[in-house]
Amino acid sequence: MTADTVTDPSDLSALFEEHRPVLTGVAYRMLGRVADAEDVVQDAWLRWSAEGREDVRAPRAYLVRITTRLAIDRLRHVQSRREAYVGPWLPEPFETDFGVTVPDTAERAVLAESVSLAVLVVLESLSPLERAVFVLREAFGFPYGEIATALDKSDAAVRQLAGRARKHVDERKPRFEVDPAQQRDLTERFLAAATGGDLGELLSLLAPEARLVGDSGGKSKAPLRIVESADKVARFLLGVARQAIPGMEIRLTELNGGPAVLILADGEPDGVFQLDVADGLIQCVYILRNPDKLTALAPE
């Protein structure tokens, strides 16, 4: 982290904007919703700009600390709302372009995994503190000492939280080396098989224990329970493909660090399909159809 002291109050806005991408990244990984993340970052700005910060020697560390604590407070609040959510809950899709903005392949892979739907779903089962430590350590590489300061915890406590969180994630989302080109190829083949009604091809792409998770929030059509087994998932998808959508348009895009299928109806987002791929097969199909989570994907 930089140690550039804030000496001129007029620089507050410029410094905040410089660090906004990191703050938004932390807040989104903590909360799984773009709107919630933006609200947290806005609250962080209000606190940062409330008075002069001439005594702050490391603005980035200071802002991350504010943002993380605000995100923890909001997460504790929204978790109670999610208990009453209709059907499975999935994070809101987040447009990414790591291939352009992050040139280093290793760093791009870490960022892509940390923002993937599969990992964000697992993070939902962590405690707010475990999630904060995981995000700061695994996604952004913050030293344990700085995380301890951000959370007002001891270094030993942070290391213990990090170990528990990493173990929990590894147990539920084992690490696989996923080739981006292979993931895109599987997405394109999946799309062709589903729209073409090719049951055999779909089954060849799906792992035997494949699952389908749909998120509608009770506001549109999507399964209210997880669909399990390749055969049931494939037949469900073919049934969906046969249903006509007025003015339907299909686009391949990048969401949450990987390829995704965006469905438009009369120019407005109607749904998103994204695949969790491992060992060359589709492990899970995520379908997002809650209209509240699709508004940010509307074409300009």
Side-chain angles (χ1 to χ4, degrees):
M1 294 186 182
T2 60
D4 45 338
T5 305
V6 184
T7 57
D8 186 348
S10 66
D11 291 338
L12 287 174
S13 179
L15 269 171
F16 190 88
E17 290 306 314
E18 176 186 344
H19 300 304
R20 181 183 288 272
V22 171
L23 305 182
T24 301
V26 169
Y28 174 74
R29 287 165 175 81
M30 284 288 297
L31 297 162
R33 284 203 67 209
V34 175
D36 285 337
E38 291 175 345
D39 286 347
V40 162
V41 172
Q42 180 61 21
D43 287 346
W45 159 248
L46 293 176
R47 296 195 180 194
W48 168 252
S49 61
E51 56 187 74
R53 298 296 178 187
E54 292 82 356
D55 59 330
V56 175
R57 297 189 56 81
R60 185 169 182 255
Y62 184 85
L63 288 168
V64 167
R65 181 165 70 249
I66 294 174
T67 301
T68 302
R69 291 181 178 180
L70 288 170
I72 288 172
D73 289 343
R74 181 168 290 243
L75 182 60
R76 287 170 173 155
H77 176 68
V78 300
Q79 280 181 333
S80 61
R81 295 203 316 255
R82 290 174 190 172
E83 292 176 0
Y85 196 79
V86 179
W89 186 94
L90 291 173
E92 181 179 341
F94 182 68
E95 291 186 283
T96 52
D97 191 6
F98 294 135
V100 173
T101 60
V102 183
D104 179 73
T105 302
E107 184 181 356
R108 183 165 65 245
V110 170
L111 286 171
E113 184 194 42
S114 72
V115 82
S116 72
L117 286 182
V119 168
L120 290 175
V121 167
V122 174
L123 295 188
E124 283 295 302
S125 60
L126 299 181
S127 72
L129 282 176
E130 287 172 341
R131 186 164 183 166
V133 171
F134 182 91
V135 168
L136 294 176
R137 179 65 182 173
E138 300 289 335
F140 294 96
F142 283 73
Y144 288 114
E146 292 185 4
I147 298 174
T149 299
L151 301 180
D152 196 21
K153 298 288 182 182
S154 69
D155 189 278
V158 165
R159 289 178 182 273
Q160 187 176 50
L161 286 165
R164 282 206 306 263
R166 181 73 263 177
K167 180 180 178 182
H168 189 88
V169 172
D170 284 343
E171 287 175 348
R172 290 158 180 78
K173 182 63 178 69
R175 288 178 177 269
F176 293 95
E177 293 297 328
V178 179
D179 181 355
Q182 181 190 59
Q183 192 173 14
R184 185 173 182 86
D185 177 65
L186 277 172
T187 300
E188 292 173 347
R189 291 169 61 193
F190 163 84
L191 178 60
T195 56
D198 191 336
L199 177 61
E201 174 67 2
L202 265 182
L203 288 172
S204 74
L205 300 175
L206 293 163
E209 67 283 2
R211 304 181 307 143
L212 182 146
V213 182
D215 178 345
S216 68
K219 298 181 179 182
S220 58
K221 289 186 178 181
L224 296 179
R225 297 179 182 275
I226 296 174
V227 179
E228 301 190 38
S229 86
D231 183 69
K232 290 181 180 179
V233 170
R235 294 183 186 280
F236 175 86
L237 290 169
L238 292 185
V240 170
R242 285 193 289 266
Q243 298 176 12
I245 299 177
M248 185 176 76
E249 181 183 351
I250 300 175
R251 295 184 182 180
L252 276 174
T253 185
E254 182 182 290
L255 300 173
N256 294 85
V261 179
L262 173 63
I263 309 296
L264 301 172
D266 292 329
E268 296 297 323
D270 184 77
V272 165
F273 286 74
Q274 193 158 34
L275 311 178
D276 182 21
V277 175
D279 284 348
L281 293 172
I282 298 168
Q283 307 293 324
C284 188
V285 179
Y286 296 106
I287 302 177
L288 293 109
R289 296 209 64 222
N290 184 337
D292 296 340
K293 297 184 179 183
L294 300 174
T295 54
L297 303 181
E300 297 181 359

